[in-house]
């Protein structure tokens, strides 16, 4: 979970320029902390889903391909829905003109849920207890 928070914090900071935070009426610091904590929750729920599917808490060492497939499908799927819901229905945040889009959904948050879980898996496997 610590790795998830650290890697997601780095990603949130890196992708700030792709969002128009003026619509949120919050500070940049609040937005980054809020989103990073949300990313941590997404990671934890996805991890638990993988544990349920693989029936193993140690899936990163024993069943990483199935685990990573479930992790990526669940996080990317949720993120696509969340981005659509929050940008177009709730107007909780908005994309800056610099945000590349796929079917109206920001590419940066979708790529986040490929890069960050893979980076966590590589790190965890490298430092196996």
């Amino acid at each position: 979970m610590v790795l998830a928070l650290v890697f997601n914090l780095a990603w949130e900071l890196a992708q700030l320029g792709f969002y128009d935070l003026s619509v949120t009426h919050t500070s940049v610091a609040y937005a980054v902390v809020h989103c990073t904590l949300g990313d941590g929750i997404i990671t934890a729920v996805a991890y638990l889903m993988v544990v349920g599917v693989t029936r193993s808490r140690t899936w990163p060492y024993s069943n990483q391909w199935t685990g990573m497939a479930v992790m990526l499908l669940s996080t990317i799927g949720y993120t696509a829905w969340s981005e659509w819901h929050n940008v177009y229905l709730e107007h909780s945040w908005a994309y800056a003109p610099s945000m590349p889009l796929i079917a109206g959904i920001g590419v940066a948050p979708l790529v986040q849920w490929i890069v960050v879980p893979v980076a966590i898996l590589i790190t965890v496997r490298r430092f196996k207890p």
Side-chain angles (χ1 to χ4, degrees), residues 5 15 21 23 28 39 41-42 45-46 48-50 59-60 65 71 77 80 87 101-102 107 117 121:
L5 291 172
Q15 73 176 355
L21 297 179
V23 301
V28 172
D39 294 341
I41 292 168
I42 294 167
V45 170
L48 292 174
M49 289 174 64
V50 174
W59 66 265
W65 295 109
M71 176 73 77
V87 170
L101 303 174
I102 295 178
V107 171
L121 180 67

Side-chain angles (χ1 to χ4, degrees), residues 21 24-32:
L21 297 179
T24 65
H25 306 292
T26 61
S27 70
V28 172
Y30 175 83
V32 169

Side-chain angles (χ1 to χ4, degrees), residues 84-96:
W84 172 80
H85 181 81
N86 284 291
V87 170
Y88 300 108
L89 291 183
E90 297 293 326
H91 306 287
S92 301
W93 59 77
Y95 298 134

Side-chain angles (χ1 to χ4, degrees), residues 55-98:
R55 299 188 185 276
S56 172
R57 289 179 301 171
T58 60
W59 66 265
Y61 308 112
S62 59
N63 203 349
Q64 71 269 12
W65 295 109
T66 300
M68 193 49 44
V70 172
M71 176 73 77
L72 294 176
L73 289 172
S74 63
T75 57
I76 293 169
Y78 173 77
T79 297
W81 173 84
S82 177
E83 291 288 317
W84 172 80
H85 181 81
N86 284 291
V87 170
Y88 300 108
L89 291 183
E90 297 293 326
H91 306 287
S92 301
W93 59 77
Y95 298 134
S98 59

